[in-house]
Amino acid sequence: MEIPKQITVTSPLLPNLDEFNDFLRQIWDSKWITNNGSFHQKLESALCEYLKVPYISLFTNGTMPLITALQALRITGEVITTPYSFVATTHAIWWNGAKPVFVDVDPRTGNIDADKIEAAITPKTTAIMPVHVYGQPCDTRRIQEIADKYGLKVIYDAAHAFGVEVNGESILNAGDVSTLSFHATKVYNTIEGGALVMHDEAMKKRIDFLKNFGIADEVTVVGPGINAKVDEIRSAYGLLNLRQVDKAIQARQQVAVAYRKALRAVEGITFFDDVPGIKHNYSYFPIFVNAEQYGMTRDDLYLRLKGQGILGRRYFYPLISSFSTYRALPSASPENLSFAARMAEEVICLPMHHELSEVDIERILNAIVTSLF
């Protein structure tokens, strides 16, 4: 099997140790290890420039930005969202005392089907929370048209969409705010971390208050905030990581090219292709297994891969709407979510990393292509 040559890069999980040690020494000497220190400020500035966004606020993980975004926009009532995501998306709505309303997905992208949103709007609806699944951009234009028509806020869960652009414009500039995850499994990480992207200085200030207990100064608390700050060490790590993320994305693209070339002719296996005009980040490579055509169920293939030490992930499975917290909601009915249910039953995300070798890639592909022989 022909595999494109791997691009050799320095792992973003292991930044330049000499420089990182120098950063650690600077932090130690400054005696300022958290609470908006110099490395925190440098990373926010660097991310604004790299991501082409006007304002960004760093968080300690990717869930806190979701919770804080809902707080900052004073969201109540019902929030229209997708069942095909990681549970943090819907948990954030629940933690804010709002009610998630599920809408089916577009099978061409895995994202919320914008054409089905209006039917889910009620007098209690206050916001839409779409997800850029696997880093694939939602139909932001159509979603914004609906939001403007009904006076709704739009919060994008962009946990997978670091660096994604449409026609040169950052996808993070869509909606009222966008949230990011910088978890260690993401294409860019600060070990643990996240961020909130907003459009104006007033919202930036409000969010910065909310992530620090609502504290404005030594004697003033402006609201019921939370502790979601990022320390200086992870900020320094993030600065070093940012310098090599482009090379990592380039290498991951070559992995995606190899996967597509080998799997395109395999009956019963489908996947997403790159879309012209979109700058992808290759965060994930999901395949979808049609058991009738492929001759093996998704779970059988998943277990076969796992038995060979190939750790794919059924991501996202099960659907959020099937979990005990949410399954009683009227919008969680499987009949309402047929495309999402099918994707959840068929998906396996193949290993995706910039350090996968040619041998690794060939072993993964051979396990899929030869699994029935």
Side-chain angles (χ1 to χ4, degrees), residues 18-321:
D18 289 338
E19 193 166 14
F20 190 49
N21 286 334
D22 179 59
F23 282 1
L24 291 178
R25 174 59 62 184
Q26 292 180 47
I27 294 167
W28 179 263
D29 290 342
S30 74
K31 306 297 189 293
W32 193 328
I33 60 174
T34 189
N35 282 15
N36 199 34
S38 63
F39 282 97
H40 179 285
Q41 294 177 42
K42 289 175 184 176
L43 181 56
E44 284 194 343
S45 177
L47 285 169
C48 280
E49 181 178 357
Y50 180 87
L51 296 171
K52 302 179 182 179
V53 299
Y55 299 95
I56 196 167
S57 182
L58 296 177
F59 279 74
T60 192
N61 57 50
T63 302
M64 285 292 106
L66 290 167
I67 292 174
T68 305
L70 290 157
Q71 280 285 315
L73 294 172
R74 299 179 175 89
I75 301 302
T76 59
E78 296 177 351
V79 179
I80 293 173
T81 191
T82 172
Y84 193 72
S85 181
F86 186 61
V87 291
T89 305
T90 312
H91 284 357
I93 298 170
W94 202 265
W95 271 76
N96 276 278
K99 178 181 177 181
V101 175
F102 297 114
V103 166
D104 206 359
V105 303
D106 183 337
R108 296 170 299 178
T109 63
N111 295 328
I112 193 169
D113 188 337
D115 290 334
K116 296 180 179 178
I117 290 175
E118 278 194 273
I121 296 173
T122 75
K124 296 181 180 179
T125 306
T126 58
I128 308 169
M129 185 183 280
V131 179
H132 300 299
V133 175
Y134 309 128
Q136 300 206 116
C138 292
D139 187 348
T140 56
R141 181 191 59 79
R142 178 71 179 123
I143 291 170
Q144 194 60 54
E145 287 175 353
I146 295 168
D148 291 342
K149 180 178 178 180
Y150 292 93
L152 307 177
K153 299 294 186 182
V154 181
I155 300 166
Y156 280 102
D157 182 338
H160 295 176
F162 183 90
V164 174
E165 298 177 5
V166 178
N167 297 323
E169 171 70 19
S170 173
I171 196 67
L172 302 175
N173 286 318
D176 290 278
V177 294
S178 293
T179 71
L180 287 162
S181 171
F182 299 154
H183 185 267
T185 58
K186 299 298 188 288
V187 67
Y188 168 80
N189 78 86
T190 57
I191 306 174
E192 279 276 7
L196 231 172
V197 173
M198 65 293 294
H199 308 316
D200 60 77
E201 189 174 2
M203 180 60 74
K204 159 75 169 164
K205 188 174 183 179
R206 174 169 173 75
I207 286 168
D208 284 348
F209 285 154
L210 287 174
K211 75 176 183 184
N212 185 31
F213 305 100
I215 295 172
D217 57 43
E218 291 182 6
V219 295
T220 307
V221 173
V222 297
I226 199 166
N227 184 12
K229 303 184 299 297
V230 178
D231 57 79
E232 287 290 270
I233 293 174
R234 280 184 292 169
S235 296
Y237 184 97
L239 278 169
L240 293 177
N241 237 352
L242 192 59
R243 296 178 186 175
Q244 51 200 8
V245 69
D246 285 335
K247 290 183 179 179
I249 291 171
Q250 187 179 14
R252 293 165 81 107
Q253 181 181 13
Q254 296 308 305
V255 177
V257 167
Y259 282 158
R260 290 183 180 129
K261 182 175 182 180
L263 297 176
R264 194 171 299 280
V266 179
E267 189 173 6
I269 299 291
T270 57
F271 46 82
F272 298 125
D273 278 305
D274 284 355
V275 179
I278 295 178
K279 178 185 175 184
H280 295 275
N281 67 8
Y282 306 96
S283 293
Y284 300 90
F285 193 90
I287 64 171
F288 301 91
V289 183
N290 182 311
E292 185 176 342
Q293 296 175 350
Y294 183 63
M296 179 183 291
T297 68
R298 183 277 308 275
D299 285 346
D300 286 341
L301 177 58
Y302 167 77
L303 292 173
R304 178 186 174 90
L305 294 172
K306 190 173 182 180
Q308 296 184 27
I310 299 168
L311 302 182
R313 186 177 179 187
R314 294 170 292 186
Y315 193 65
F316 304 97
Y317 169 82
L319 286 181
I320 296 174
S321 52

